């Protein structure tokens, strides 16, 4: 009997475990190597209509998201000084990390996958590839999947979060997710880096509130975000109930090269203007596994993986990041006040790093007329500041693709 092809996954974050499980359920021999296999600490959220991607990875109809402790908010709101409070007409969800992590590990065990605690020090491409671990041990693989995350990058999203109790309904109404509030953290008398409030009620009766810097180069210090959030909590009479959450997401770190099939942040799948990545990672995991199971030739496999990623989208979204980095508080507030007046299908496409380039370019073209005059002028200056010739060609390429 022919031996099963051996797939080694480096990293045990959501991207690593999801891809490992998808490969294991397709009959591949899977081993996951990671420094530890503890539940993840960051808060993971995604749109409620994207939850079927989670169901598909975890086990289809056998294990639905309600069984994983997923909390769904029927409505999501955005608040700006120019547009007020806007209901987006799209539900939001928060994942229960412990439940999802435990389920993925159990499914992996059931599918015959193995785990190994360790750090990969180097990879010599194959086939077979040879992975050297810290300490000197070696592991051989027909296919290597790199899910070790991205580097630090020069631009980062950062957030300081607290679980709170008290009268929070004016900020986050019951049953509602607050995607962005660009008003709550503002001090009209003191210019500060752009930051918004993000939050939602939790099942234990507390509410998670996070002061978030969408993008900063250099990154906004976490202590600055902590101080702004705590000032808001004091003003609102809210009490901290638990340990803080610290978030750092690289927005411009290059994808890893030469160490295997990159997934998640290692493949540059973090949205370069928002930090979103979870739903696209989950959607791609089964498709990556299908390619790995079908293609034994390394070159054809690399081409099949490359075909899964949209052409031109990354450059357009990186342009959006560079524009946002040039805005102050007021212009950022106006930007999002206009952004969420676009049709839901348009702004939703822009927020998804796997959208076709033509959809992202369409959102960028439509945004200008949706902004007030000062913000439109600031947008034009920011676009010019990124290199006008390159911008025109990038948007043109995006619009030309279907």
């Amino acid at each position: 009997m022919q031996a099963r092809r051996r797939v080694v996954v480096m990293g045990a974050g959501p991207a690593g475990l999801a891809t490992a499980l998808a490969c294991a359920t397709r009959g591949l021999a899977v081993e996951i190597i990671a420094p530890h296999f503890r539940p993840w600490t960051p808060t993971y959220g995604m749109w409620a209509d994207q939850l079927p991607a989670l169901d598909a990875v975890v086990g289809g109809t056998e294990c639905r998201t309600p069984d994983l402790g997923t909390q769904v908010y029927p409505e999501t709101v955005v608040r700006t000084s120019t547009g007020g409070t806007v209901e987006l007409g799209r539900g939001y969800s928060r994942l229960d990390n412990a439940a999802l992590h435990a389920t993925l590990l159990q499914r992996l065990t059931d599918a015959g996958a193995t785990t190994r605690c360790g750090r990969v020090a180097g990879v010599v491409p194959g086939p077979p590839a040879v992975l050297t671990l810290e300490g000197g041990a070696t592991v051989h693989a027909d296919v290597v999947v790199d899910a070790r995350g991205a580097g630090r990058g020069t631009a980062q999203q950062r957030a300081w979060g607290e679980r709170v109790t008290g009268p929070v309904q004016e900020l986050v109404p019951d049953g509602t997710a607050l995607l962005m509030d660009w008003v709550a953290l503002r001090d009209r008398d003191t210019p500060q880096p752009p930051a918004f409030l993000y939050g939602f009620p939790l099942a234990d009766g507390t509410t998670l509130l996070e002061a978030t810097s969408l993008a900063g180069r250099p990154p906004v210090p976490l202590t600055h975000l902590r101080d702004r959030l705590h000032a808001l909590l004091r003003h609102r009479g809210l009490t901290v109930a638990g340990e803080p959450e610290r978030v750092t997401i690289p927005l411009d770190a290059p994808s890893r090269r030469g160490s295997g099939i990159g997934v998640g942040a290692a493949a540059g799948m973090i949205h370069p203007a928002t930090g979103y990545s979870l739903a696209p990672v989950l959607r791609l995991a089964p498709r990556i596994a299908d390619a790995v199971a079908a293609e034994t030739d390394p070159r054809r496999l690399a081409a099949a993986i490359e075909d899964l990623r949209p052409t031109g989208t990354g450059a357009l979204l990186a342009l959006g990041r560079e524009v946002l980095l040039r805005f102050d508080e007021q212009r950022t507030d106006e930007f999002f006040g206009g952004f969420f007046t676009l049709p839901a299908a348009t702004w939703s496409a822009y927020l998804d790093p796997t959208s076709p380039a033509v959809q992202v370019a369409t959102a960028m073209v439509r945004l200008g007329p949706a902004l007030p005059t000062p913000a439109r002028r600031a947008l034009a200056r920011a676009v010019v500041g990124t290199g006008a010739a390159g911008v025109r060609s990038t948007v043109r390429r995006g619009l030309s693709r279907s």
Side-chain angles (χ1 to χ4, degrees):
M1 180 181 294
Q2 186 175 8
R4 292 187 299 165
R5 293 176 68 215
R6 181 171 173 78
V7 178
V8 174
V9 178
M10 303 182 295
L17 294 190
T19 305
L21 180 57
C23 288
T25 56
R26 283 154 178 78
L28 300 166
V30 174
E31 180 174 13
I32 308 106
I33 301 174
H36 64 80
F37 290 88
R38 297 188 295 271
W40 318 299
T41 55
T43 296
Y44 289 115
M46 57 196 294
W47 298 107
D49 54 43
Q50 295 173 328
L51 287 173
L54 177 60
D55 292 331
V57 167
V58 173
T61 57
E62 298 176 19
C63 185
R64 309 298 293 180
T65 46
D67 302 321
L68 297 174
T70 303
Q71 197 165 353
V72 176
Y73 307 92
E75 188 53 76
T76 309
V77 299
V78 168
R79 189 173 295 121
T80 63
S81 63
T82 54
T85 300
V86 177
E87 295 185 354
L88 299 182
R90 194 177 185 191
Y92 198 72
S93 60
R94 172 185 174 271
L95 303 187
D96 184 321
N97 288 359
L100 176 58
H101 186 266
T103 299
L104 286 171
L105 286 181
Q106 184 60 56
R107 296 276 175 166
L108 282 161
T109 298
D110 295 343
T114 59
T115 60
R116 180 193 298 232
C117 287
R119 294 182 183 274
V120 177
V123 179
V124 178
V130 179
L131 294 79
T132 302
L133 307 188
E134 292 181 354
T138 58
V139 177
H140 294 78
D142 297 301
V143 178
V144 178
V145 175
D146 193 340
R148 293 177 294 175
R152 293 180 62 85
T154 61
Q156 294 181 7
Q157 179 176 131
R158 288 187 171 181
W160 185 284
E162 301 280 8
R163 289 170 43 239
V164 304
T165 59
V168 74
Q169 284 73 23
E170 287 187 9
L171 291 171
V172 186
D174 290 338
T176 297
L178 177 66
L179 186 68
M180 290 180 170
D181 182 340
W182 291 98
V183 181
L185 298 172
R186 290 280 296 276
D187 181 344
R188 299 286 180 177
D189 299 324
T190 306
Q192 301 178 97
F196 65 91
L197 188 69
Y198 165 83
F200 34 69
L202 302 177
D204 63 1
T206 64
T207 299
L208 176 68
L209 295 177
E210 291 189 352
T212 307
S213 163
L214 188 64
R217 183 190 291 128
V220 174
L222 282 170
T223 51
H224 171 83
L225 297 169
R226 177 201 63 195
D227 293 346
R228 288 175 71 173
L229 178 61
H230 286 184
L232 173 69
L233 301 185
R234 289 192 297 270
H235 176 70
R236 294 277 182 167
L238 302 175
T239 303
V240 171
E243 294 299 313
E245 178 174 352
R246 303 169 181 87
V247 178
T248 297
I249 302 174
L251 300 178
D252 62 352
S255 58
R256 296 181 184 270
R257 300 289 184 183
S259 56
I261 297 170
V263 296
M269 286 298 297
I270 292 177
H271 194 297
T274 67
Y276 278 30
S277 66
L278 181 59
V281 162
L282 295 175
R283 283 200 303 268
L284 279 178
R287 300 175 66 189
I288 290 172
D290 286 339
V292 171
E295 297 289 355
T296 57
D297 180 85
R299 291 184 179 179
R300 288 200 300 267
L301 175 57
I305 297 298
E306 188 64 26
D307 287 344
L308 297 177
R309 312 190 194 284
T311 303
T313 296
L316 289 168
L317 294 176
L319 168 61
R321 175 196 65 224
E322 295 305 306
V323 167
L324 285 171
L325 285 167
R326 287 167 165 79
F327 284 172
D328 61 13
E329 277 189 293
Q330 182 62 31
R331 297 291 91 87
T332 304
D333 178 298
E334 293 168 347
F335 177 94
F336 283 101
F339 180 81
F340 285 106
T341 66
L342 298 176
T346 301
W347 61 253
S348 295
Y350 184 85
L351 295 180
D352 187 340
T354 61
S355 293
V358 64
Q359 296 181 6
V360 176
T362 298
M364 297 171 78
V365 170
R366 289 183 177 179
L367 178 59
L371 299 177
T373 300
R376 190 160 55 247
R377 290 173 178 167
L379 177 62
R381 289 193 298 271
V383 167
V384 170
T386 66
V391 169
R392 284 196 298 269
S393 62
T394 299
V395 174
R396 190 182 302 115
R397 287 196 302 271
L399 286 172
S400 68
R401 298 180 186 275
S402 60

